[in-house]
Amino acid sequence: MGKATGFLEIDRQDRSYSDAKERLKHYKEFVVPLPEEKLKAQASRCMNCGIPYCHNGCPVNNIIPDWNHLVYEGDWQNALEVLHSTNNFPEFTGRICPAPCEASCTLNIDDAPVTIKSIECAIVDRGWQEGWIQPQPPKRKTGKSVAVVGSGPAGMACAQQLARAGHSVTLFEKNDRMGGLLRYGIPDFKMEKDLINRRLMQMQAEGVVLRESTEIGVHVSMESLRENFDAVVMSGGAEEARQLNIPGAEMAGVRLAMEFLTQQNKRNAGDEETRAAPRGSIVATGKHVIVIGGGDTGSDCVGTSNRQGAASVTQIEIMPKPPVREDKAMVWPEWPLKLRTSSSHEEGCERDWAINAKRVLGENGQVTGLECVRLDWSNGRMEEVPGSEFVLKADLIFLAMGFTGPRKAGMLDQSEVELDERGNVKANVSDYKTSQEGVFACGDMRRGQSLVVWAIREGRQCAHAVDEHLMGSSELPR
């Protein structure tokens, strides 16, 4: 695979970003791709490992060494075919996946893994440019019908696979546009939404029927769905955001991160303000912003706030500051805990760790600050440091503290499916069946808050299980 001595001769080189001052003026993607010859050189660094740990590091089990070798040889079309054999939407993962494959790459022992994510993105982007990606309608129809509820990455992958197997698939989405978290949770500067639109067009050409603005459990009952379809897949995500239960959190200036991000994506899509922000506009312009939560959603709030012209942005995290470099001997090839600095952080942000929010301060119902205390984690548990209280100035506070599970009201309550101890829909990965006959669950609704790439994996595997349930056997890959 690749060039036998490539990893010795060629240094790691990844995509770059356009200048921060320029990219803050817009919401477009700003990654600068590598030219073809450099991509070939990077692909040649793949070592043909006896045990390719990247396979297991990747949730969809991408056949990474194979398409690296094909890129090195300039065989982009076959590289695309190999890539699509495990991943329906590599243009999504090639942009927003944290690349656990690179963390598990053998060359990451020396902090110089193969640039797998960049090569993946280049392959699929080349496929679209060359017109190689076309609809794959089934050669025959099975006469079976499936309802897929929730059009995020799990639902999209599941619907596409089932349609290609010959089933009549209807994809339901409660929002006004398809895409779920991809559409309204991921900022446009990380992934532009035309990428979703063209995949949806491909899926429609393959026979998938799209039903936007249709909430199951509200506009259509779960009973009706089960009566009119041979199988139902629930892929609605984990939408219940973790709340901030401290004094003052009820003030108008304390908002959920996803509400803020959704509004800006709607504006970018051309929606009028009343449609983009039906419950009141959230704008960071000229304000002192605090983001509570140190993950990707918090980082997205930082980037969006800076683009709106915030006076200052501070991100705080309850956990201690991770090490800059992981202990390779302890964690490789598993996903490492280490300090991660996103492009949004580089655009301007103060960051602090081991901080607990105690009280939101305000005057006349308006947020003026956040009272915090420092934490000591040295004993392995959270302990407040006496006398360490301090106040951060704030006009706007975004809650990006993760999600606790799927929404229960509506579809889940009506379905009467059994939930696990975490409040997710109970179903195992062998068959994705819930406690109700003919009802399946996949993605974050089943596993809890997770990555887009895990959602795609579960959607594909769930499609295999549904096809097997309906037909007795399945030729769809797991």
Side-chain angles (χ1 to χ4, degrees), residues 108-397:
N108 192 43
I109 294 174
D110 196 31
D111 287 320
V114 176
T115 53
I116 299 169
K117 179 178 174 178
S118 294
I119 296 168
E120 174 185 37
C121 196
I123 293 170
V124 68
D125 285 354
R126 176 76 172 265
W128 284 108
Q129 292 165 9
E130 299 287 349
W132 297 331
I133 301 175
Q134 296 293 327
Q136 300 177 35
K139 294 180 181 179
R140 61 179 181 82
K141 299 292 283 186
T142 65
K144 301 291 185 179
S145 61
V146 184
V148 179
V149 185
S151 69
M156 285 181 65
C158 187
Q160 183 167 59
Q161 292 294 95
L162 287 168
R164 289 175 175 178
H167 305 303
S168 297
V169 181
T170 302
L171 182 60
F172 293 91
E173 171 57 53
K174 70 176 186 299
N175 290 314
D176 56 352
R177 296 182 180 92
M178 291 279 166
L181 178 73
L182 294 168
R183 174 77 64 180
Y184 288 133
I186 305 294
D188 288 4
F189 56 80
K190 288 176 68 174
M191 193 184 88
E192 293 180 30
K193 302 309 178 272
D194 284 347
L195 302 175
I196 304 173
N197 297 340
R198 68 186 180 188
R199 277 296 180 186
L200 291 169
M201 291 176 64
Q202 180 194 37
M203 290 167 62
Q204 284 181 298
E206 293 169 347
V208 178
V209 176
L210 307 180
R211 290 276 302 274
E212 299 102 339
S213 302
T214 306
E215 184 171 358
I216 306 304
V218 177
H219 304 112
V220 178
S221 71
M222 189 64 182
E223 181 182 6
S224 172
L225 215 60
R226 296 185 67 183
E227 288 177 351
N228 288 284
F229 291 88
D230 296 304
V232 177
V233 176
M234 298 193 298
S235 55
E239 296 182 295
E240 285 290 350
R242 184 171 283 108
Q243 301 291 326
L244 183 66
N245 297 315
I246 61 174
E250 72 284 352
M251 281 190 274
V254 181
R255 308 296 287 265
L256 294 175
M258 205 52 63
E259 189 178 3
F260 175 56
L261 297 175
T262 296
Q263 283 190 15
Q264 187 55 54
N265 280 6
K266 283 178 172 285
R267 294 186 192 103
N268 293 345
D271 289 357
E272 295 181 2
E273 192 65 23
T274 52
R275 182 180 174 194
R279 292 183 294 173
S281 184
I282 314 169
V283 181
T285 308
K287 296 179 180 178
H288 297 281
V289 174
I290 294 178
V291 180
I292 303 179
D296 289 340
T297 300
S299 170
D300 294 342
C301 288
V302 170
T304 302
S305 295
N306 280 325
R307 279 164 178 73
Q308 290 186 359
S312 68
V313 184
T314 303
Q315 185 178 24
I316 62 174
E317 165 60 43
I318 197 169
M319 299 300 293
K321 185 176 181 179
V324 173
R325 187 177 188 272
E326 73 271 26
D327 185 337
K328 300 289 185 183
M330 290 291 290
V331 300
W332 180 86
E334 304 297 330
W335 180 249
L337 175 66
K338 67 177 183 178
L339 181 63
R340 302 177 192 279
T341 299
S342 71
S343 58
S344 291
H345 294 139
E346 294 170 350
E347 292 163 1
C349 174
E350 294 294 325
R351 304 166 75 187
D352 208 344
W353 290 265
I355 301 295
N356 195 22
K358 299 291 288 184
R359 183 163 61 103
V360 179
L361 307 177
E363 295 178 3
N364 302 319
Q366 300 297 312
V367 172
T368 60
L370 181 66
E371 184 181 303
C372 303
V373 64
R374 297 201 174 271
L375 301 173
D376 181 3
W377 287 90
S378 58
N379 294 324
R381 60 184 182 182
M382 185 178 79
E383 295 180 354
E384 294 185 0
V385 177
S388 66
E389 295 82 3
F390 65 100
V391 173
L392 291 170
K393 185 176 182 179
D395 304 304
L396 194 54
I397 298 173

